[in-house]
Amino acid sequence: MEKNKKVESEYVECKLCNKKFKRISNTHLKKVHNITCKEYKKQFPDAKFDSEQLARKKGSSTRGKSYKEQFGFLKAKKIKEKHSKKTIEQMKDPEQRNIRRTRNKQNGNGHKGGEKMMVSKKSTDSYNSNNYRKNALEYYGHTCQRCGKDFPEKKLVVHHKDCNNYQSELGNHELDNLMVLCRSCHTKLHNELQKTSTRYVGQYDIEKGMHIILKGLRKEFGLKIKDQHFMDTPKRVARAYMEIFEGIKDTEKQVENILGTAFESDMDEMIVATNIHVFSMCPHHFLPVEYFISVAYIPRGFVLGLSKLSRLAEILAKRPVIQEQLGVEITDALMKIGSAGAAVRISGQHFCMRMRGVNKPEATVITTSVRGAFKTSQATRNEFLHHISK
């Protein structure tokens, strides 16, 4: 027997087509004979699935188990990547592509020319984020659904009706949510939607970013992001950020509007607002910070409305800003409108310290910023400290 010739123990014969394999797989039975392993076993009770050599090597205990169950997550991932690379290499060979096309046609999976693939819209489990474009073009064809003209595939765009084109399991990639449009109609449609959209600038990017975060948590920790509680999480986060980061947009203009209304007054004594409770976000970890702020200023020819100090602290806190800088910006804003002096004391509890890192839930960070009379006069500074200590 030739050296390269397989011995009998190296293969097993399929009872239906007499082809020889190292293992008769469910893929072969399903694609070629349209039956399952279970049905095959019923027809041929004595039939073997594995060659003797393979059976000795792997053992019958592995049958029905996934790569992950057999080898663990990391090795299973490598095996799948290896198989994927092998498939890609095979598909570069025109002969291999023709073999697959012929097999698909024989099994009823092929379709002629531009005929639409007859797929039920309800059966869309396989229409995921990785193949929605291909499946939309196969189902709807190469005709723009807006202008009705035919175009080459490269000039067509698959549009999501809910405008959530995210490469994630959370995206709706079912056929009912997809439209095939030419590039021109796609641009026109988005221009029309923009005029009536309630989205704020940047909302799409925040939603997309949240999709990526959830995907990362799924890949690293196995988070089940298809759970009903995560379905609209990116949208909710984007809407929440609009409120949480209200102070970022046109900060100077917002500060001017808050402090722009003042009333003439001869008063020149200290005015203090204490325990202003606000929230912010740490720019280093994007985790919440809870602040209690006390603000004081000495008016010179004017007084501010009672709510202005609280509003000033709140709007400047609604940004990803470090605590030290926040105090400086509040005092600087009060000095710019002509105050004789300004002082701020901030007590902050940072969740980047409370829930991670050093894990010190009771740790409190205190910072102060003083300007004008509060900096030059010890008595004025002491009076401020006395007021906020009550």
Side-chain angles (χ1 to χ4, degrees):
M1 186 180 287
E2 294 180 11
K3 193 175 183 180
N4 62 348
K5 208 168 185 180
K6 293 182 179 179
V7 295
E8 289 294 322
S9 64
E10 288 185 347
Y11 63 85
V12 64
E13 190 176 274
C14 174
K15 301 287 186 180
L16 293 169
C17 62
N18 299 323
K19 288 185 178 180
K20 295 178 181 178
F21 305 92
K22 285 192 174 183
R23 171 186 291 124
I24 298 176
S25 66
N26 191 60
T27 303
H28 166 72
L29 294 174
K30 191 70 180 172
K31 283 193 172 183
V32 178
H33 305 298
N34 198 29
I35 63 171
T36 63
C37 287
K38 194 173 181 181
E39 292 168 343
Y40 179 78
K41 191 69 178 174
K42 280 184 179 179
Q43 288 186 41
F44 308 100
D46 299 327
K48 294 180 180 179
F49 284 89
D50 293 337
S51 65
E52 290 180 19
Q53 188 184 59
L54 194 61
R56 285 196 301 271
K57 185 178 178 182
K58 298 201 66 159
S60 59
S61 61
T62 60
R63 177 166 299 286
K65 292 184 179 179
S66 65
Y67 287 139
K68 186 177 179 181
E69 290 171 328
Q70 293 178 51
F71 309 112
F73 174 76
L74 291 176
K75 190 172 179 181
K77 186 179 179 183
K78 288 180 181 178
I79 292 171
K80 288 179 181 178
E81 287 174 352
K82 185 178 177 180
H83 288 179
S84 179
K85 287 179 182 178
K86 188 177 179 181
T87 302
I88 292 169
E89 286 298 317
Q90 283 183 343
M91 292 308 291
K92 289 180 181 178
D93 183 359
E95 187 177 342
Q96 284 289 333
R97 291 200 296 270
N98 288 331
I99 290 171
R100 294 197 179 210
R101 286 196 193 102
T102 304
R103 187 184 300 161
N104 286 339
K105 286 179 181 178
Q106 287 173 350
N107 294 328
N109 295 330
H111 58 281
K112 297 178 182 179
E115 290 181 8
K116 294 180 183 178
M117 185 188 225
M118 297 307 292
V119 181
S120 170
K121 288 190 179 184
K122 293 181 181 179
S123 178
T124 54
D125 290 342
S126 64
Y127 288 76
N128 55 41
S129 61
N130 296 322
N131 59 12
Y132 72 83
R133 175 180 168 82
K134 175 187 172 184
N135 291 310
L137 290 170
E138 285 179 341
Y139 187 84
Y140 293 114
H142 292 179
T143 302
C144 174
Q145 291 177 264
R146 186 179 168 105
C147 66
K149 296 179 182 178
D150 293 333
F151 292 89
E153 183 177 327
K154 64 181 181 180
K155 292 189 176 181
L156 291 168
V157 177
V158 176
H159 170 75
H160 286 68
K161 295 176 184 178
D162 63 1
C163 296
N164 291 332
N165 179 15
Y166 303 129
Q167 295 291 328
S168 165
E169 294 89 330
L170 294 181
N172 180 3
H173 305 293
E174 295 186 358
L175 290 172
D176 285 336
N177 191 46
L178 303 177
M179 288 179 68
V180 173
L181 302 171
C182 66
R183 295 187 182 277
S184 176
C185 287
H186 185 244
T187 302
K188 290 175 183 176
L189 178 59
H190 273 277
N191 288 338
E192 291 169 7
L193 291 172
Q194 194 171 4
K195 293 176 183 177
T196 58
S197 176
T198 57
R199 285 187 172 192
Y200 61 87
V201 177
Q203 181 172 343
Y204 175 84
D205 291 329
I206 295 172
E207 289 179 16
K208 190 174 182 180
M210 195 61 215
H211 273 272
I212 295 169
I213 290 170
L214 289 171
K215 280 177 69 177
L217 292 174
R218 175 182 59 76
K219 288 180 179 179
E220 183 64 25
F221 303 110
L223 179 68
K224 296 179 181 179
I225 62 177
K226 285 191 176 181
D227 184 282
Q228 59 175 339
H229 299 295
F230 293 113
M231 293 310 294
D232 289 321
T233 294
K235 289 185 176 67
R236 287 191 288 264
V237 170
R239 289 195 293 267
Y241 274 15
M242 185 180 183
E243 184 179 343
I244 292 170
F245 296 113
E246 182 187 359
I248 296 176
K249 190 174 182 180
D250 299 324
T251 307
E252 290 185 9
K253 187 176 181 180
Q254 290 195 71
V255 170
E256 286 176 7
N257 290 338
I258 291 168
L259 303 179
T261 304
F263 307 95
E264 291 185 9
S265 175
D266 295 331
M267 183 179 180
D268 58 0
E269 299 295 331
M270 188 185 305
I271 298 174
V272 185
T274 63
N275 290 320
I276 302 169
H277 191 192
V278 298
F279 293 89
S280 187
M281 292 285 270
C282 161
H284 300 150
H285 302 96
F286 256 55
L287 288 173
V289 188
E290 185 177 12
Y291 290 131
F292 287 93
I293 303 176
S294 294
V295 183
Y297 76 103
I298 299 173
R300 187 157 51 189
F302 70 93
V303 290
L304 294 168
L306 292 175
S307 65
K308 302 302 181 183
L309 295 179
S310 297
R311 183 59 180 152
L312 174 65
E314 182 183 43
I315 205 66
L316 289 176
K318 286 191 171 183
R319 301 172 301 150
V321 59
I322 62 172
Q323 181 172 330
E324 299 88 333
Q325 185 63 27
L326 176 60
V328 169
E329 291 181 356
I330 294 172
T331 51
D332 286 348
L334 290 169
M335 291 302 291
K336 282 181 182 178
I337 60 173
S339 301
V344 172
R345 179 189 183 273
I346 303 177
S347 172
Q349 289 197 321
H350 297 248
F351 279 72
C352 57
M353 293 173 62
R354 297 183 68 178
M355 63 189 293
R356 60 160 299 282
V358 294
N359 288 308
K360 300 297 180 185
E362 302 303 322
T364 301
V365 178
I366 297 174
T367 56
T368 59
S369 176
V370 291
R371 295 286 186 272
F374 290 92
K375 193 166 189 174
T376 58
S377 171
Q378 182 66 45
T380 305
R381 190 157 59 250
N382 289 341
E383 184 183 346
F384 170 64
L385 295 174
H386 172 71
H387 286 309
I388 65 175
S389 65
K390 291 180 180 180

